[in-house]
């Protein structure tokens, strides 16, 4: 068996935070997951924002 390093910083992993070396690296990995989740392509265009823009334009004219 070979000891694999922490996937975040490549330091030797810790038993308590396997597969990471520390709580910091574990949190960093979690944060990456969340960021990728929020960055889904479908989230870029907000249909409600477009509807609101149209309503404002109609009211102004
Ligand atoms: Zn690490």
């Amino acid at each position: 068996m070979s000891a694999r390093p922490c996937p975040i910083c490549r330091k030797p992993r810790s038993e308590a935070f396997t597969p990471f070396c520390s709580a910091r690296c574990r949190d960093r990995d979690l944060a990456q997951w969340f960021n990728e989740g929020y960055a889904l392509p479908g989230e870029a265009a907000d249909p409600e924002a477009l509807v609101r823009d149209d309503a404002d334009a109609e009211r102004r004219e």
Side-chain angles (χ1 to χ4, degrees):
M1 261 198 216
S2 59
R4 293 205 302 197
C6 168
I8 302 296
C9 68
R10 306 283 169 202
K11 285 180 191 166
R13 62 170 65 176
S14 154
E15 281 282 320
F17 302 108
T18 295
F20 308 103
C21 69
S22 62
R24 206 173 145 187
C25 281
R26 187 189 56 192
D27 288 349
R28 227 174 106 179
D29 187 68
L30 260 180
Q32 278 180 9
W33 273 99
F34 278 123
N35 287 339
E36 280 171 29
Y38 288 135
L40 288 174
E43 300 265 328
D46 182 354
E48 280 190 47
L50 289 174
V51 168
R52 256 181 266 129
D53 276 357
D54 284 346
D56 279 351
E58 275 174 41
R59 244 178 273 139
R60 252 182 253 124
E61 279 172 31

